[in-house]
């Protein structure tokens, strides 16, 4: 298993030691090509930074388009992609947000690529309680959700991704 990372020291603290870390960036086609050319399958965890604006470079759009081009060139057997369940709120009840539109475009790009895919739509991760939702003795929530949130542990999600990649049939699947 190899990981393309921008920050080696940060990645070394987060990822297991058996993962080979390759320094690169989605904006740099050469580093991306060097990473992909020896790959069999790709798992993509691309996201927007909170500071990004609509006209910025987005990993989930311009970066993804570069990846798809190289994936076809190097005959990648499957792409796994983490998306977002909540992006499906786009267009509901007159709600519209450019971020959700971009996330929907990313899914469309993958589906149209002709590269077999697995797309994952987790609701939210249990680990977010301590890092995102909890501030002191309070839990931060925005508005009242009409739908239940379904939490998954990152470890369990990882098992599901591995199981999906271990499927021998290269059919397009959404989870």
């Amino acid at each position: 298993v190899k990981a393309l990372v921008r920050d080696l020291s940060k990645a070394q603290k987060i990822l297991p030691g058996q993962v080979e870390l390759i320094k690169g960036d989605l904006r740099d086609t050469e580093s991306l090509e060097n990473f992909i050319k020896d790959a069999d399958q790709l798992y993509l965890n691309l996201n927007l930074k909170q500071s990004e604006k609509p006209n910025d470079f987005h990993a989930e759009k311009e970066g993804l388009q570069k990846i798809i081009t190289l994936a076809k060139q190097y005959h990648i057997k499957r792409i796994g992609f983490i998306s977002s369940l909540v992006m499906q709120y786009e267009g509901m009840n007159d709600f519209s947000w450019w971020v959700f539109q971009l996330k929907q475009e990313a899914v469309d790009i993958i589906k149209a690529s002709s590269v077999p895919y697995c797309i994952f739509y987790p609701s939210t991760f249990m680990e977010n309680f301590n890092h995102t939702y909890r501030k002191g003795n309070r839990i931060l929530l925005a508005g009242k959700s009409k739908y239940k949130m379904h939490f998954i542990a990152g470890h369990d999600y990882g098992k599901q991704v591995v199981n999906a990649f271990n499927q021998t049939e290269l059919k397009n699947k959404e989870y």
Side-chain angles (χ1 to χ4, degrees):
V1 174
K2 298 188 297 183
L4 182 71
V5 300
R6 288 184 307 264
D7 185 335
L8 284 172
S9 62
K10 182 178 177 184
Q12 288 169 337
K13 294 175 188 172
I14 297 170
L15 296 172
Q18 55 271 45
V19 174
E20 181 184 349
L21 303 177
I22 310 293
K23 185 168 174 49
D25 192 293
L26 294 179
R27 295 176 200 239
D28 178 14
T29 304
E30 186 178 336
S31 70
L32 190 56
E33 185 171 10
N34 286 336
F35 178 74
I36 290 177
K37 70 181 179 185
D38 296 325
D40 189 38
Q41 301 184 76
L42 298 174
Y43 174 78
L44 307 176
N45 184 357
L46 310 173
N47 57 27
L48 285 94
K49 296 176 187 165
Q50 290 181 337
S51 61
E52 287 183 37
K53 306 279 188 271
N55 293 324
D56 291 348
F57 174 91
H58 301 295
E60 283 183 272
K61 188 171 185 179
E62 295 85 3
L64 178 59
Q65 289 167 333
K66 285 183 178 186
I67 291 168
I68 294 295
T69 299
L70 292 169
K72 288 178 181 181
Q73 180 181 337
Y74 288 101
H75 308 288
I76 295 298
K77 293 180 184 170
R78 183 179 310 167
I79 288 177
F81 181 71
I82 183 171
S83 186
S84 167
L85 184 65
V86 296
M87 66 93 169
Q88 296 174 359
Y89 289 139
E90 176 59 36
M92 292 177 64
N93 302 318
D94 297 321
F95 176 82
S96 186
W97 187 27
W98 71 270
V99 172
F100 286 172
Q101 292 169 6
L102 186 120
K103 289 183 175 296
Q104 287 179 345
E105 286 177 37
V107 168
D108 292 342
I109 288 168
I110 291 170
K111 287 181 175 182
S113 73
S114 76
V115 178
Y117 61 80
C118 298
I119 301 174
F120 303 92
Y121 300 98
S123 179
T124 193
F125 292 97
M126 291 171 36
E127 292 82 359
N128 286 338
F129 270 113
N130 286 333
H131 305 292
T132 304
Y133 299 128
R134 195 174 89 183
K135 299 293 179 197
N137 62 354
R138 297 181 186 267
I139 301 249
L140 303 177
L141 299 173
K144 183 177 180 183
S145 178
K146 293 180 183 182
Y147 307 99
K148 287 182 180 179
M149 291 181 78
H150 298 277
F151 292 89
I152 186 167
H155 186 261
D156 291 336
Y157 171 76
K159 286 181 183 178
Q160 290 179 356
V161 170
V162 168
N163 286 338
F165 271 86
N166 283 333
Q167 300 298 314
T168 56
E169 294 181 21
L170 296 177
K171 292 183 179 178
N172 299 330
K173 294 235 179 189
E174 296 178 70
Y175 300 90

